[in-house]
Amino acid sequence: MLGDLLSLLTYDVGIDLGTANIRIGVRGKGAVAIEPSVVAINKFNNEVLAVGNEAKKMLGRTPANVVAVRPLKDGVIVDFDITLAMVKYFLGIVHAQKDDFWIIPKPRVLVGVPSSITDVEKQAVIDAVLYAGAREAYVIEEPMAAAIGVGLPVNEPVGNMIVDIGGGTTDIAIISLGGIVVDKTINIAGDEMDELIVEYLKDKYAMLIGYSTAEKIKVKVAKAHPEIEDKAIQVHGRDMISGLPKAVEVSSKEVLDAISPALSKITDAIKEAIEEAPPELVSDIYTRGIVVAGGGSQIPGLNKLWEQELKVPIQIAKDPQFSVLKGTLIALGEVETLKRLKEAESQII
Ligand code: ADP
Ligand code: MG
């Protein structure tokens, strides 16, 4: 009864501060907004002009004084003030949807942050969220949130391994007893694959394409293992010699060739993470396997590739782009988890 009354006065908001996309959700409701992690600013006075989809639309179509920034590129918060502006904007969206109440309640907010973030930055995220109107604010490291989101038993004394392939970074973590035991972040993920596809078409066909075309090619036809069935896509670009438009057909096999260097680097990083783990956890990983999450995990054949290369069972998460957000929403419902996050927070000086 009291719980029901309290739930009218408050609500729980989870935020995933991804390098490519920001996702925000409400506990009991799921995701409510997904927008690109892009902010348009006035280069001369750093004023924030637009956030998310609006900012992305301005990319390449703006006067010279407007620049679009991805404040979380490479998983580190490149520009903190801009990140905070983005968080405030997204909290505003959720808050505005709460007009079904005659009293607008203040939310409890849990933000998934890159694991490489410093304590000072963590505190700044918490302060920004409180400033934006939250009643309570917590941060959780993204690999932990992703592991909770895919349903791994993170609090048990077993080794849980999660690989999250995002836009700017791949996060690799081994979690046991509620803590991150091994954590590795590399700047090789979806964006790098797009760049490799651009280079490949330049070298092979003397054709110039943009990054968004490269991303489309990757999403439509990429594969991570030669035994996956081949597909093809017609691609339009500019001939680098004549300067005129030209079209070529690109196959999955070609995309595999193009993105192979990125796949190998991710494979090596996973191997290194396993090597750094205590032996008991390693034996858990060999029996329990690795869960792969993040938008980049949707390339067909990743499971085949890694089962072959790493000799461990590989499971691709369901709705992998939402694992972190799901984890934040689950954690908000767990008193013990929130208590642990609060304790970690109190140790930030
Ligand atoms: P982040 O958490 O860093 O914001 P996401 O988990 O949202 O990143 O993943 C974004 C990356 O996933 C982008 O590089 C995007 O191109 C890639 N991606 C999205 N869908 C697919 C797909 N179907 N196949 C391959 N890559 C994909
Ligand atoms: Mg992510």
Side-chain angles (χ1 to χ4, degrees), residues 77-270:
I77 295 187
V78 184
D79 190 313
F80 213 78
D81 291 337
I82 295 174
T83 305
L84 296 188
M86 203 159 68
V87 170
K88 283 182 202 154
Y89 167 83
F90 282 104
L91 275 177
I93 294 185
V94 181
H95 217 59
Q97 291 180 356
K98 278 274 153 190
D99 55 7
D100 46 337
F101 292 105
W102 55 278
I103 312 173
I104 295 190
K106 288 181 153 200
R108 283 197 308 185
V109 181
L110 174 54
V111 188
V113 293
S115 53
S116 54
I117 185 174
T118 65
D119 281 351
V120 174
E121 289 177 332
K122 272 185 194 163
Q123 190 57 52
V125 170
I126 292 169
D127 292 345
V129 170
L130 291 173
Y131 181 75
R135 183 167 63 93
E136 288 170 37
Y138 306 87
V139 291
I140 185 169
E141 288 173 341
E142 277 164 11
M144 177 64 84
I148 296 173
V150 300
L152 288 172
V154 293
N155 294 321
E156 283 170 28
V158 291
N160 296 289
M161 185 156 189
I162 181 113
V163 174
D164 178 344
I165 310 172
T169 57
T170 296
D171 281 316
I172 302 161
I174 300 172
I175 296 169
S176 178
L177 285 170
I180 297 179
V181 182
V182 176
D183 181 18
K184 208 173 199 61
T185 300
I186 56 165
N187 295 345
I188 308 287
D191 295 346
E192 172 77 13
M193 295 180 201
D194 302 345
E195 280 163 32
L196 287 168
I197 293 171
V198 170
E199 286 308 311
Y200 184 91
L201 295 189
K202 249 193 226 167
D203 290 347
K204 184 159 181 185
Y205 298 110
M207 183 167 102
L208 209 57
I209 58 162
Y211 292 119
S212 54
T213 305
E215 183 182 23
K216 202 187 306 161
I217 298 171
K218 176 186 69 179
V219 169
K220 290 260 161 70
V221 308
K223 64 178 182 183
H225 192 279
E227 282 165 24
I228 301 291
E229 199 189 330
D230 231 29
K231 287 191 216 157
I233 183 173
Q234 174 99 338
V235 180
H236 299 271
R238 184 150 53 92
D239 188 294
M240 288 165 70
I241 298 149
S242 69
L244 296 173
K246 113 175 185 182
V248 299
E249 195 164 90
V250 179
S251 71
S252 307
K253 185 179 173 315
E254 291 176 296
V255 178
L256 173 58
D257 284 345
I259 66 173
S260 276
L263 294 175
S264 309
K265 283 182 192 154
I266 300 174
T267 308
D268 290 344
I270 299 175

Side-chain angles (χ1 to χ4, degrees), residues 11-68:
Y11 61 106
D12 288 338
V13 172
I15 300 179
D16 169 9
L17 276 186
T19 59
N21 300 292
I22 297 234
R23 298 181 174 82
I24 186 158
V26 174
R27 188 159 73 92
K29 209 166 162 184
V32 295
I34 307 159
E35 297 202 35
S37 322
V38 179
V39 179
I41 57 169
N42 180 331
K43 187 158 81 171
F44 298 118
N45 58 14
N46 280 334
E47 187 195 348
V48 173
L49 302 171
V51 177
N53 285 323
E54 281 306 309
K56 199 168 185 185
K57 266 187 234 153
M58 291 168 84
L59 273 174
R61 297 194 183 86
T62 48
N65 63 324
V66 178
V67 285

